[in-house]
Amino acid sequence: MKTGHVSNPVVLYWHRTDLRLHDSPALHAALALKPLVFIPVWTWDPHYVYKARVGPNRWKFLLECQSQLSDAYENLNSKQKLWVKDTDAYAQDRDTAVIAMAEKAGVQVIIRMGRTLFDPDELIQKNNGKPTMSITQVEKAAVKINNGNPDKPIDPPSSIPDPWDEERMDLSSLEHDSIDNQPDLNAEHRTQKDEQYSNIMGPKNDFAVPWDDIGIDLSQAATPHRGGEAEALRVLGECIKNEEYIAQFEKPQTSPAAFEPQSTTLLSPHLHFGSLSVRKFWWDVHAVMENQRKAKKPVASVPTNLSGQLLFRDMYFCAQASLGHRFARTHGNEIVRFIDWHLQSSPPDKNGSVDGSYEVDSQEAEEWFQRWKEGRTGFPWIDALMRQLRQEGWIHHLGRHSVACFLTRGGCYVSWERGAEVFEELLIDHETACNIGNWQWLSCTAFYAMFYRCYSPISFGKKWDPEGNLIRRYCPELAKFDKKHIYEPWKAPIADQKKWGCRVTGDGTSSSRSGDTDNTYPKPMFNFDERRRICLDAMKHAFSFSLHGDDAKVKDGSWKKEFRASESSRPTKRQKT
DNA sequence: GACGCGTTGGTCCC
DNA sequence: GGGACCAACGCGTC
């Protein structure tokens, strides 16, 4: 197409982490340039397109648009480009490449940060160039930025020019070819289903959200959670109305077993997809806390309160921004403690690339991992949570703690890297920084070290849900078990198992059932008390080496010899039960 | 170097 | 339901 008559076209590259009209610094800056042509382009990432196609109904705002960037610069003749900054490791690579491409084409790149409370790179700088490893460090660094206050959210624009508005633009004089000509940025991804963004879809819907191509049929949705800016603002508004809930919110006091309604705000997916601004969330909460404080009512403090939860998110983003790709793996990662987990990721090759494979050093651990992943460990609390995760894409934070501890240091002794991969695929609120960071936390490889605090798959659930309602919901085969046996169904007498219509047998695979009509629930895959002792002992042993992911002994594999030599000399605590 | 504390443990006992 | 104890890491502060 030719753009000879267009004096100031602006291309706004808008990706999934900034998909809102309110508090969108990049959109705001784009409009301030007063473009004659305003071209929002949904960028796409193979990573997220992959997620969109494999999950149990992915989130509404997974957008895909083919943006052939170098061609676009040449053809659109744009001299100004806006970019929404993203510090995820793969996004750092992408942004570096795109910015270089733009500069080569003589295009001015304007970058705005909109994803976190504070710019992760600025947090690193204020934290003496280091990744933030504790909430105290985040708070101190934030005070140096703006006395601890993030930027105020920006109001949504009152109007947005239509992209390629033919009437307003008089495109007849533009002598442009049809926008369908090459490079066609959106050809395969056009639909009119998204009403929320109808004002920026363009008169011919050339810039619409590509629902059909994403492969999402909302009528078939397994998850009860819904996306979109309107929904995000509605939910936030509802939460904010309950001032006591907001002001007294303490994460450790919210139940991981609650569903319909859940005990937390459910706003995390909106933060991930950019349909809610984290700064609006923070300032709205802040206002409520101030009100309550003035009214002399109790107000929870950082880090357990809501603001604290958002600060943890910034902590992980900062740590990730600092380490790049190293953050998400053990090898070469200086912040993670090295532990001799089963099923560790294969080390990078000579070029530093990883192929995503892992070493199956133990068939037993591999089977435990598969059973955990599929929700058939034989521990109903764990299985209910894993099935809720698979069906709905969301579980409560403490539920995540429970299943993560069970897979790693408190049960299977499987590498946190395996668990993080499963969460990445299944969570609708997955953010690499938070997911990886929390797995490191729970497995006691970074951020946290008190490995002797171990979650029991029986006691912890019982504390929150003595009736076992979460289990009855997500493991319906156990629905008729009495509360005495619901967390340990294998202890129920056979007569009762028959009476309650479910036998505890096999490993949860269909082949393990004796007949098609049998209703069964698997036997526990190991003795938990025994495994807890073995894991605790192994953690103590691993900690005694003080190895980290970037240690030479980790790189060359010589840790194995040392661990084994020391292993043979230490007393075993294995105990028969 | 000592000491207290750390977003969210479990168990036992009162 | 509340407190002591379990077994005991790393960080921040004094």
Side-chain angles (χ1 to χ4, degrees), chain A residues 81-288:
Chain A
K81 188 186 83 71
L82 278 141
W83 190 259
V84 182
K85 182 172 178 174
D86 191 338
T87 51
D88 276 0
Y90 77 93
Q92 285 184 25
D93 291 350
R94 179 199 60 201
D95 291 4
T96 304
V98 165
I99 289 166
M101 212 183 282
E103 284 173 352
K104 194 178 168 191
V107 173
Q108 182 196 359
V109 180
I110 301 165
I111 298 172
R112 290 287 183 274
M113 181 67 207
R115 194 175 179 188
T116 44
L117 293 172
F118 302 97
D119 183 338
D121 289 329
E122 213 176 342
L123 275 183
I124 296 169
Q125 191 202 338
K126 301 296 182 194
N127 192 46
N128 305 317
K130 292 176 183 167
T132 47
M133 297 303 293
S134 71
I135 210 67
T136 317
Q137 290 173 1
V138 177
E139 285 180 290
K140 284 183 178 172
V143 165
K144 290 181 199 166
I145 291 173
N146 186 22
N147 202 26
N149 294 321
D151 288 344
K152 287 264 175 72
I154 306 163
D155 287 336
S158 53
S159 68
I160 295 177
D162 283 332
W164 297 105
D165 179 342
E166 297 199 29
E167 286 180 20
R168 189 171 65 86
M169 291 287 305
D170 184 18
L171 291 181
S172 60
S173 67
L174 191 62
E175 298 176 5
H176 75 302
D177 298 331
S178 162
I179 196 162
D180 287 330
N181 280 7
Q182 295 299 321
D184 178 3
L185 305 181
N186 299 317
E188 296 175 23
H189 310 293
R190 294 197 177 111
T191 145
Q192 301 179 36
K193 288 182 189 169
D194 180 27
E195 292 176 4
Q196 183 189 350
Y197 286 91
S198 59
N199 57 340
I200 54 172
M201 289 197 301
K204 293 181 181 172
N205 298 309
D206 288 339
F207 302 93
V209 178
W211 295 116
D212 292 339
D213 294 293
I214 291 171
I216 294 173
D217 179 356
L218 285 175
S219 68
Q220 299 295 312
T223 178
H225 313 303
R226 289 292 177 268
E229 183 180 23
E231 175 67 3
L233 295 176
R234 186 192 68 77
V235 173
L236 177 65
E238 289 295 316
C239 291
I240 290 293
K241 269 189 218 163
N242 190 343
E243 297 213 348
E244 287 180 358
Y245 170 76
I246 293 290
Q248 293 169 32
F249 182 98
E250 290 199 73
K251 178 58 82 51
Q253 306 305 322
T254 59
S255 171
F259 58 92
E260 290 180 346
Q262 290 88 352
S263 59
T264 51
T265 66
L266 264 296
L267 286 168
S268 54
H270 294 287
L271 295 182
H272 166 56
F273 286 103
S275 41
L276 176 66
S277 156
V278 68
R279 288 177 299 255
K280 177 168 171 57
F281 194 173
W282 193 94
W283 279 105
D284 280 7
V285 166
H286 181 78
V288 169

Side-chain angles (χ1 to χ4, degrees), chain A residues 311-331:
Chain A
L311 281 179
F312 273 109
R313 183 170 175 271
D314 266 45
M315 177 181 84
Y316 291 133
F317 270 84
C318 173
Q320 178 187 233
S322 177
L323 275 74
H325 289 287
R326 299 201 301 294
F327 180 67
R329 56 192 190 220
T330 298
H331 282 275

Side-chain angles (χ1 to χ4, degrees), chain A residues 18 126 189 203 211 370 400 436 457 462 471 535 548:
Chain A
D18 197 23
K126 301 296 182 194
H189 310 293
W211 295 116
Q370 295 304 329
R400 301 179 196 196
I436 296 293
K462 260 188 193 169
I471 294 169
C535 286
H548 287 76

